[in-house]
């Protein structure tokens, strides 16, 4: 149990400890303590925190709620006065671009973060590489001239849709 001893525990009829605080109260307390930890170990001028979260499309509700709390709540800002409050958190999240496959909770998370004026959001979409890039990658990997592998690299480019990771795996 995370706590400061202020919550009351009691035993039920079976002798199991049950807590008077509900799951939501524990979640809020955990989020608060995590934000306080960030404040304790970071400083805007020389030690900000960098979080990189990959594959957000597979994140569960609890994880996205915690990330949202870290970004949107202000009790962990290191500030001398409220006008100069600066957050020491740099969050980078990546997810696949096929929006129709997102779980609803991810859409809500993205909308919530994007709608806050005090949070800067930069969306970067990465596309595939051009055929010439695929040709160069395969030519370099096989150590053959581009003219000899052009037909092969055209097939690879078509099957990989220009995704460099898939080109490398192919």
């Amino acid at each position: 149990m995370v706590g400061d001893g202020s919550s009351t525990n009691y035993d039920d009829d079976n002798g199991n400890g049950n807590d008077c605080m509900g799951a939501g109260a524990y979640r809020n307390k955990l989020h608060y303590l995590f934000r306080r930890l960030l404040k304790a170990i970071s400083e805007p001028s020389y030690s900000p925190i960098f979080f990189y979260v990959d594959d957000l499309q597979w994140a569960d509700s609890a994880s996205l709620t915690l990330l949202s709390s870290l970004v949107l709540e202000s009790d962990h800002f290191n500030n001398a006065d409220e006008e100069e409050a600066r957050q020491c958190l740099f969050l980078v999240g990546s997810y696949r671009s096929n929006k129709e496959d997102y779980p609803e909770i991810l859409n809500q998370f993205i909308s919530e973060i994007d709608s806050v004026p005090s949070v800067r959001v930069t969306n970067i979409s990465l596309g595939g590489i051009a055929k010439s890039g695929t040709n160069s990658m395969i030519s370099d990997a096989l150590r053959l001239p581009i003219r000899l592998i052009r037909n092969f690299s055209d097939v690879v480019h078509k099957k990989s849709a220009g995704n460099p990771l898939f080109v490398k795996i192919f």
Side-chain angles (χ1 to χ4, degrees):
M1 174 174 104
V2 176
D4 58 5
S6 62
S7 65
T8 307
N9 286 332
Y10 65 94
D11 290 338
D12 64 11
D13 294 337
N14 298 326
N16 297 323
N18 288 330
D19 198 278
C20 291
M21 289 178 62
Y26 274 125
R27 183 188 65 238
N28 291 340
K29 195 171 213 176
L30 177 67
H31 289 188
Y32 172 75
L33 291 172
F34 201 81
R35 292 190 309 266
R36 296 299 294 176
L37 174 66
L38 287 180
K39 182 175 183 176
I41 63 174
S42 66
E43 180 64 38
S45 59
Y46 61 88
S47 63
I49 302 294
F50 177 85
F51 276 144
Y52 176 72
V53 184
D54 194 14
D55 292 327
L56 280 172
Q57 73 274 6
W58 292 319
D60 64 347
S61 174
S63 300
L64 292 176
T65 303
L66 175 61
L67 288 174
S68 181
S69 171
L70 293 176
V71 173
L72 301 177
E73 298 295 326
S74 63
D75 60 359
H76 63 293
F77 293 166
N78 284 316
N79 57 332
D81 62 40
E82 288 300 318
E83 292 179 14
E84 294 186 15
R86 296 192 314 171
Q87 190 170 11
C88 302
L89 175 67
F90 185 72
L91 175 67
V92 175
S94 67
Y95 53 90
R96 294 187 181 177
S97 61
N98 50 345
K99 266 192 167 177
E100 63 278 354
D101 293 337
Y102 294 168
E104 184 58 32
I105 187 72
L106 180 59
N107 288 326
Q108 291 171 355
F109 172 75
I110 293 169
S111 297
E112 182 179 25
I113 299 298
D114 204 19
S115 68
V116 177
S118 62
V119 175
R120 280 186 274 166
V121 176
T122 303
N123 293 310
I124 302 172
S125 297
L126 302 177
I129 58 175
K131 276 187 179 182
S132 61
T134 304
N135 288 338
S136 296
M137 280 182 69
I138 294 173
S139 174
D140 290 345
L142 298 177
R143 297 182 183 176
L144 293 171
I146 290 177
R147 63 181 171 77
L148 293 178
I149 53 101
R150 188 171 314 272
N151 290 336
F152 175 67
S153 65
D154 287 345
V155 171
V156 171
H157 183 77
K158 184 177 179 181
K159 290 198 174 270
S160 67
N163 184 326
L165 177 63
F166 295 152
V167 170
K168 184 177 178 183
I169 291 171
F170 196 93

